[in-house]
Amino acid sequence: MNAALKTLTVALGLSVASGAALADDILVGLITKTNTNPFFVKMKEGAEAQAAQHGNVELRSFAGRFDGDNDSQVQAIENLISAGAKGILITPNDSEAIVPAVQQARDAGIVVIALDTPLSPATSADATFATDNFKAGELIGQWARAKAGNPDDAKIALLDLNSSEISVDVARNQGFLQGFGIDLNDPQDIGDEDDDRIVGNDVTQGSEEGGRRAMENLMQRDPSVNLVYTINEPAAAGAYEALKAVGLTDQVNIVSVDGGCPGVENVAAGVIGATSMQFPLKMASLGVDAIVTYAETGVKPGATPGLDFFNTGVTLVTDQPVDGIDSISSAEALDQCWG
């Protein structure tokens, strides 16, 4: 492969189903849940850019056909094993069902790093590079408490993901509550708190329509809601529309997690008071670096001290900063957001 063609192959991150990598190249596979979600599009951009920086990395990108498509991800792993990959970065569609295929890759000497979503169990991968979702929730909880005036007067609606209580959902919810100063009963269980400031929990499926519906349900339970936590920014946008329909937007502060560009724009517009930004591009670029290190030295990536995963960072975004909590403005965040 001449230099120009090699550069083009790296830059485009071609999804090649078969054929061995050249001996001089470090073959890295990236397998995302889908290729349409802006979060994973940004992740792919990060992997491509970092592969190009190294110069001797060939990146092959794959994705599920839809969210939940495990079969396509299994096929991608099999292709990468046959091609002689040194490492695989994967955001699993099914954290448990993908484990046998991941084990085949590891048995073949391939280092496997989960991005964003851990495998089940997490030790099924060599490492996990992800957002500290508990910290993300804690930051917006601390900010909300500082903005509340008298936190004892809070009436809190919690808009979660779904009834399955997956790890991301639990961590963000419980982090928010701890940040606000509410005692957790079981930190691994959503909704078991007995603090009378909590109006209730409802599920959103992470969508705008789900956020609207959940907000309507909780307002019926207690129309004095004045603080809303949401699992992500689309749910926050839906909650705002429900509040707007009954003229209660001035009464309520909404906080969320993600850092997508539409969410950051909603911070700028006053729809969301504060959000915690995560960094999919950084997850993927650091993952590529870790695989290169493994290929060159045999050293596998480790975890951040005190955690069981490698923390890729989280930043509070708000246009209403408070003393003692580091944050960036929506204008600054627009240079770093995704989607």
Side-chain angles (χ1 to χ4, degrees):
M1 182 182 294
N2 64 40
L5 183 56
K6 177 178 175 182
T7 300
L8 180 62
T9 302
V10 171
L12 293 177
L14 295 177
S15 298
V16 182
S18 61
L22 294 180
D24 293 338
D25 287 339
I26 297 170
L27 177 56
V28 176
L30 173 68
I31 307 171
T32 55
K33 292 184 180 181
T34 69
N35 59 12
T36 55
N37 184 310
F39 188 88
F40 302 121
V41 170
K42 182 59 69 173
M43 191 174 279
K44 183 178 177 182
E45 288 176 9
E48 289 174 346
Q50 202 64 15
Q53 284 289 323
H54 283 285
N56 65 334
V57 173
E58 179 185 349
L59 182 73
R60 299 187 186 181
S61 299
F62 303 81
R65 294 166 296 167
F66 52 86
D67 201 332
D69 178 14
N70 182 68
D71 290 345
S72 292
Q73 292 194 319
V74 169
Q75 291 169 13
I77 290 174
E78 292 172 348
N79 287 335
L80 288 163
I81 293 171
S82 297
K86 288 293 186 180
I88 295 173
L89 307 171
I90 183 168
T91 56
N93 268 317
D94 188 319
S95 295
E96 185 173 352
I98 198 68
V99 167
V102 168
Q103 188 58 52
Q104 289 178 23
R106 296 179 72 189
D107 290 344
I110 299 171
V111 65
V112 179
I113 301 173
L115 300 182
D116 181 57
T117 305
L119 302 188
S120 180
T123 52
S124 299
D126 290 289
T128 301
F129 285 18
T131 303
D132 186 339
N133 283 292
F134 190 92
K135 181 65 175 178
E138 191 173 36
L139 283 172
I140 55 175
Q142 291 170 343
W143 179 89
R145 181 178 176 86
K147 296 295 293 183
N150 183 358
D152 291 339
D153 293 335
K155 292 293 184 181
I156 305 170
L158 298 161
L159 275 59
D160 299 305
L161 182 60
N162 57 40
S163 59
S164 298
E165 297 195 21
I166 64 171
S167 59
V168 169
D169 200 12
V170 172
R172 292 182 183 182
N173 177 289
Q174 301 296 81
F176 165 78
L177 292 175
Q178 180 164 294
F180 195 80
I182 290 175
D183 290 335
L184 307 179
N185 286 332
D186 180 354
Q188 302 305 316
D189 186 15
I190 289 177
D192 70 338
E193 296 78 24
D194 52 13
D195 194 301
D196 61 10
R197 290 174 291 180
I198 298 175
V199 171
N201 298 69
D202 207 331
V203 297
T204 66
Q205 305 304 324
S207 70
E208 184 168 340
E209 177 56 34
R212 182 184 298 110
R213 183 174 57 252
M215 190 73 255
E216 291 170 347
N217 292 341
L218 292 171
M219 282 192 298
Q220 289 176 5
R221 186 178 301 182
D222 189 341
S224 67
V225 168
N226 55 27
L227 176 59
V228 177
Y229 154 84
T230 66
I231 178 66
N232 65 8
E233 292 154 357
Y240 181 84
E241 290 302 316
L243 292 163
K244 183 179 178 181
V246 292
L248 294 180
T249 54
D250 291 340
Q251 167 183 304
V252 180
N253 217 344
I254 300 176
V255 294
S256 195
V257 177
D258 256 352
C261 294
V264 173
E265 289 166 356
N266 273 340
V267 172
V271 171
I272 299 172
T275 192
S276 287
M277 173 179 277
Q278 51 184 341
F279 299 97
L281 186 149
K282 185 177 179 182
M283 288 179 199
S285 61
L286 289 174
V288 169
D289 287 344
I291 291 173
V292 171
T293 297
Y294 170 71
E296 294 176 346
T297 69
V299 176
K300 293 184 178 181
T304 299
L307 299 173
D308 59 2
F309 62 94
F310 186 89
N311 180 14
T312 56
V314 62
T315 298
L316 184 70
V317 179
T318 182
D319 289 334
Q320 305 170 57
V322 298
D323 291 340
I325 306 175
D326 290 338
S327 64
I328 62 174
S329 69
S330 61
E332 294 171 293
L334 283 171
D335 290 332
Q336 305 177 50
C337 65
W338 43 272

